[in-house]
Amino acid sequence: MSPEGVVLGADSTASLSMPPNGFHYLNHNQKLFELGEESTLGVLTWGLAGLGDQSYRTLLALLADNLRTQPPTSVLDVATRWSQQFWAAYTTSPATVPAIQACQALSTKAQHDPAAPPNPNMRSVDEEALFNHLKMALVVGFCIGGHLPANRQPDAYELIFDPLAGQPSPAQIPQLNHRFWGAPNIINRLIGGADSELRNLILTSGHWNGSDKDLDSLLRQLVLSHPILPIRDAIDFVHTCILSTIKAMKFSNLSQICGGPIEIAVITTDRKFRWVRHKAWDAAILEGELL
Amino acid sequence: VTDTKQNPKAAVAKSSEPAKWVVEMHGHFQQSGSYRAVDLKRVLGDPRDKAEFRSREEPVDNLLKRK
């Protein structure tokens, strides 16, 4: 979020499950959308890549149609309509309903305890693994940002659709804040000096004698910070963070689950949605070619 | 015997050996072709979570020094 507008960015990798086992990584997925045409709003997504035969592209186009016939009163109004529309699709799609129901059913059972005798009210080893997988894999998030021409006030909202929670209320992103989703640990380490895993490891290590607040106070000293950036530098910042995450994945123990072309859009308060970087329709054809 | 307390470089070299969870993660991946949720959460983070930072608002005095 910038006083000059909103910058949105995303990588392009889709991790597609290939039954019976394994994943296939496709590097030209669309995670960033203009909401309609000639719009002042953009939408970013992460997490669950789709609802089977219902694409996010189509669902967002339907939202844009709705906004055209019934003009919104605010960016919050847009986010609220998306919450209603997407929740209806998320909870009725044949692609997600069985998995959501399985996840919800498993959540009613107690956590697996290897020391306890088998119990129908306690998750088995396999059920525990399935539950942990589903409650992460079914999460999908959206960020809707931009402005309405009537007031030109940059505004953005976060929506997290979670199989174990109800329809989300849009959460406003404070002015001047930057948020990163999907693989937050990398950016937390890079900019914040540590991620929640390291914090928890220290707190539960038995070697830490201070309080949680003492540790947080120390970690805050490591945070990299910058002043309010001109919008082009804000664009550079967003691009740098996505590229850093991609490279961290490349040189890590995991598969390249974040990668492909980096897409960036900017919605300045004096203009409509503009692509800063947007892959061409032949991007997948050209993959691997020398340009 | 290398005293890693006296020799931080030795500590770094030692840390390049894969952790137990990394070995287990690779073993699970080789068997199933997928990563355990616990490993994804450890490396990537929770998909419901975010990294959030804020631009520093400079005092007016500093703004006046800008050219």
Side-chain angles (χ1 to χ4, degrees), chain A residues 21-23 46 132-133 136 139 158 160 162 174-181 183-185 187-189 191-192 197 223 225-228 249 253-255 257, chain B residues 18-19 21-22 25-26 28-29 31-58 63 66:
Chain A
N21 288 315
F23 278 86
W46 65 94
N132 286 328
H133 168 71
M136 298 259 290
V139 171
E158 169 192 300
I160 306 283
D162 180 337
Q175 297 290 330
L176 307 183
N177 280 26
H178 339 291
R179 282 190 187 177
F180 302 90
W181 303 273
N185 279 7
I187 296 302
N188 270 327
R189 291 177 193 177
I191 299 179
E197 181 76 10
V223 175
S225 70
H226 58 245
I228 298 171
M249 286 295 102
N253 299 306
L254 283 182
S255 300
I257 55 178
Chain B
W21 70 268
V22 174
M25 178 178 74
H26 286 316
H28 184 270
F29 186 79
Q31 277 192 327
S32 67
S34 62
Y35 293 108
R36 300 177 300 181
V38 65
D39 294 322
L40 290 172
K41 191 173 179 183
R42 183 181 280 119
V43 179
L44 303 175
D46 192 318
R48 295 163 293 194
D49 205 357
K50 58 187 174 287
E52 181 163 23
F53 302 96
R54 183 173 177 79
S55 297
R56 196 174 59 245
E57 292 174 79
E58 294 179 277
L63 295 173
R66 279 186 177 177

Side-chain angles (χ1 to χ4, degrees), chain A residues 213-234:
Chain A
K213 286 184 177 176
D214 292 335
L215 178 57
D216 290 339
S217 176
L218 284 176
L219 293 176
R220 267 198 298 275
Q221 296 176 36
L222 304 176
V223 175
L224 304 176
S225 70
H226 58 245
I228 298 171
L229 298 172
I231 197 78
R232 285 175 180 76
D233 294 293

